[in-house]
Every structure is written in C-alpha cells, then in structure tokens.
Amino acid sequence: MILVDFDHTLYRRDSLLEFTRYAVGTSRWFLGIVRLMPMLIAYRLRLRDGASTKVIWLRYFFGGWPADTFQAMGKSFALHQIDRHLNTTLYHYLKTQHNSTIVIVTASAAEWISAWTDREHFHLLATPLAYADGKIKGDLKGVNCTGPEKVRRVKMVYDLNQYTTIEVYGNGRGDRELLGLAKTVQQHQ
C-alpha cells in the first residue's frame, strides 16, 4: 500500500488555489486574494485553522454555483491541468507500482481531483463538500481531511493489517500523523 498526500507532495502546488484560478479566471482570483488577504495572513500566522479558512475561500469564490457547473469545472481542471504541475519523480515511481494499492489522501476536494485519480487508477480520500438545492454551499460536509483525520479516513476504508508494507509520502504539517502509518516487514534469516 502507498499513501500519498496531494498538494505540495504529488502535486507541486496548492490545488485549491490553482483550481480557483482556473475556474474563475486570473482577474477575479487576484481580486479575491486581495479581499481575503487578512484571513490568508491569519492562516499563515496560524491564527486561523485550515478548515475555516477553506470554507471562507469556497463561499467567496463558489458559494451558490450550480453543482453541475462546479463539478464540470473540477473535472476539466483535473483532466487538463493537474499533469502540468506533478512531482514527476514521485508520479513515475507510483506508476511502476503495479501490484500496490495507491491512495491519494488529501485535504483538497474530490471535485477537482477525482477525474484525474480515476484515470490514473489511484484511490482517493478527500475532503467532502456540502451541496444544497443543487448548488455548492461552500461548506465542508464533515471534517477537513488533514492531520489525524487523514489517519481516521484511511483506517475507516482499509484494514492496514492486510498490508505488509505501507509507504507514505507527505511533507506538510497535515501529514505528520499519516507518516506514522508507514511500516515495513523486517525479514529474518
């Protein structure tokens, strides 16, 4: 089994920022960053948590979008943009692991990643988004998939005792707990 974080690990950028720019255009994206700057600074200074920051971002840019429009834009981004910013070394390694279960475990949403993971035959555990009346609300549906939540999600879906080796790739603050799942079997002679 191989567990891989997405943003800044397999994907060299922040997929939420890149997806937003793709979906709304550079001018609106830049204006939004300027308007949301106090919140973004507070997040960088660790005065705000990632989940509440993500909700404000999603509401600002996407709140009220029709669900089908949002999902179609996410699929287009996944299939036409993700490949441009992959960590090619890690990606090529993963593509050689034909007998491994490869799981992308990310705080990003499936809406802008799943079409790519489906095409690559990778499994995906992501942060779910909330919809109401056929529109995206901008809220998370449940808990942001980061830190301990990544481990909880992995253990909910997979029986880790079934794997003799678990490789984990992640280099962010939200990956520390996930890295603790790595294991190898020592061979005794």
Side-chain angles (χ1 to χ4, degrees):
M1 168 177 259
I2 303 173
L3 304 173
V4 185
D5 173 54
F6 192 70
D7 291 350
H8 303 290
T9 302
L10 180 56
Y11 186 71
R12 291 178 296 156
R13 297 184 176 196
D14 184 309
S15 64
L16 173 58
L17 297 179
E18 294 298 313
F19 167 67
T20 303
R21 187 175 192 169
Y22 179 80
V24 303
T26 301
S27 297
R28 183 154 184 258
W29 177 80
F30 185 73
L31 178 62
I33 286 177
V34 170
R35 287 195 173 153
L36 297 174
M37 189 60 66
M39 176 206 58
L40 296 173
I41 291 171
Y43 170 71
R44 282 286 180 198
L45 295 173
R46 298 183 186 186
L47 301 173
R48 290 191 66 89
D49 67 281
S52 66
T53 303
K54 183 182 292 183
V55 165
I56 291 170
W57 181 276
L58 289 167
R59 284 180 185 166
Y60 178 85
F61 285 107
F62 301 111
W65 273 40
D68 57 349
T69 302
F70 182 77
Q71 292 164 354
M73 186 64 71
K75 181 177 182 179
S76 178
F77 173 82
L79 296 177
H80 302 291
Q81 298 296 312
I82 288 177
D83 288 335
R84 298 174 64 215
H85 300 293
L86 287 175
N87 172 336
T88 55
T89 303
L90 180 55
Y91 172 74
H92 291 304
Y93 170 73
L94 294 174
K95 292 307 283 184
T96 66
Q97 303 306 302
H98 303 292
N99 295 323
S100 292
T101 300
I102 299 171
V103 186
I104 307 301
V105 188
T106 181
S108 289
E111 281 80 353
W112 60 84
I113 298 174
S114 66
W116 183 83
T117 56
D118 290 348
R119 184 189 76 197
E120 298 298 326
H121 305 289
F122 296 159
H123 300 247
L124 177 63
L125 297 174
T127 298
L129 301 181
Y131 293 87
D133 302 320
K135 296 182 180 184
I136 179 125
K137 292 173 55 179
D139 294 332
L140 307 183
K141 183 179 179 181
V143 180
N144 196 25
C145 187
T146 188
E149 183 63 13
K150 285 186 174 188
V151 172
R152 190 182 78 70
R153 298 264 180 96
V154 168
K155 289 181 175 181
M156 270 180 39
V157 176
Y158 301 96
D159 178 1
L160 299 182
N161 293 320
Q162 299 300 312
Y163 299 94
T164 56
T165 302
I166 301 174
E167 294 178 48
V168 182
Y169 296 90
N171 54 21
R173 285 189 314 222
D175 300 322
R176 289 184 199 132
E177 293 85 354
L178 189 66
L179 291 167
L181 294 179
K183 76 175 182 177
T184 57
V185 174
Q186 299 292 336
Q187 293 194 356
H188 301 285
Q189 297 187 32

